[in-house]
Amino acid sequence: YNKTTNRIYQRLLDRGFRPIDIKYFNYDTTQTVVTAEPSIAVIQDYLINWAPREMNSVSAPLYLIMVDHGNPNAFYLGSDTITPQIINDWLTQIEGTLGAEAKKEPRVVIIGSCYSGSFIPTISGDGRIVVTSAAADEESFKGPLEPDDIRVGEYFLEELFDKIDGSNSLAQAFSL
């Protein structure tokens, strides 16, 4: 998944995101762009404390992009499991601290894992956009083997973010 998440990070930069506005969690913390190793506690802290403060200071959408293994109603993060209810609780806490202008901005959750569609019913809501790489009852796929003999970790997200460029919105990229 390192290859996929690094490419997503670069695509965000290409779309005008500033490195300071991206919190990138990856198990390979030797990469200079990585904020920290992922854990529920670390991600929750950034989402509950950092994100609302930033969104209230400069109204902008929140993107939570998750790439790893999953099962129905389970996203695996090392030995931890993030459930749809945990994400819903985080989003609800964030929304409770947003000012009027920040609340107008969408909270976008993009999940690349098997069975990620099982998250949709619980985390959907007003002001939220949810994109998943698989239906609730299907597995997602790794990408093809590349010249470096490493497969991309999440084929759908690779293609989605490849299509998000200066001319395509998230909705257009999803359709493509």
Side-chain angles (χ1 to χ4, degrees):
Y1 297 116
N2 184 57
K3 184 182 274 192
T4 297
T5 56
N6 283 340
R7 287 180 178 163
I8 291 170
Y9 180 86
Q10 186 58 52
R11 181 58 73 181
L12 293 173
L13 294 178
D14 294 346
R15 284 296 305 249
F17 284 72
R18 301 177 310 167
I20 195 169
D21 294 327
I22 302 171
K23 299 305 174 196
Y24 179 19
F25 306 104
N26 188 308
Y27 294 106
D28 182 0
T29 58
T30 63
Q31 299 175 92
T32 58
V33 298
V34 173
T35 304
E37 187 171 317
S39 72
I40 289 177
V42 168
I43 294 168
Q44 178 178 341
D45 181 55
Y46 276 98
L47 283 174
I48 302 306
N49 297 305
W50 176 82
R53 184 175 60 244
E54 295 299 312
M55 292 174 72
N56 282 324
S57 69
V58 177
S59 295
L62 169 69
Y63 291 88
L64 174 59
I65 304 166
M66 301 168 42
V67 183
D68 211 324
H69 296 284
N71 268 315
N73 297 307
F75 177 88
Y76 298 118
L77 195 61
S79 61
D80 291 333
T81 301
I82 297 178
T83 65
Q85 190 57 54
I86 289 171
I87 294 175
N88 186 64
D89 291 347
W90 288 343
L91 292 171
T92 301
Q93 287 181 47
I94 291 167
E95 292 160 349
T97 61
L98 294 179
E101 288 303 308
K103 280 185 183 177
K104 294 177 184 176
E105 297 292 341
R107 277 78 58 208
V108 181
V109 180
I110 301 172
I111 306 173
S113 70
C114 293
Y115 309 103
S116 50
S118 64
F119 280 62
I120 294 171
T122 303
I123 65 176
S124 294
D126 289 340
R128 297 178 183 180
I129 298 168
V130 182
V131 177
T132 64
S133 64
D137 61 348
E138 76 178 347
E139 295 179 350
S140 63
F141 293 96
K142 286 184 176 185
L145 195 62
E146 294 188 337
D148 62 0
D149 289 331
I150 299 173
R151 293 182 182 280
V152 296
E154 228 299 323
Y155 189 62
F156 174 80
L157 291 190
E158 286 271 346
E159 291 299 310
L160 178 71
F161 279 90
D162 184 55
K163 302 293 185 265
I164 296 174
D165 58 22
S167 61
N168 291 321
S169 66
L170 177 61
Q172 291 166 325
F174 181 84
S175 293
L176 289 170

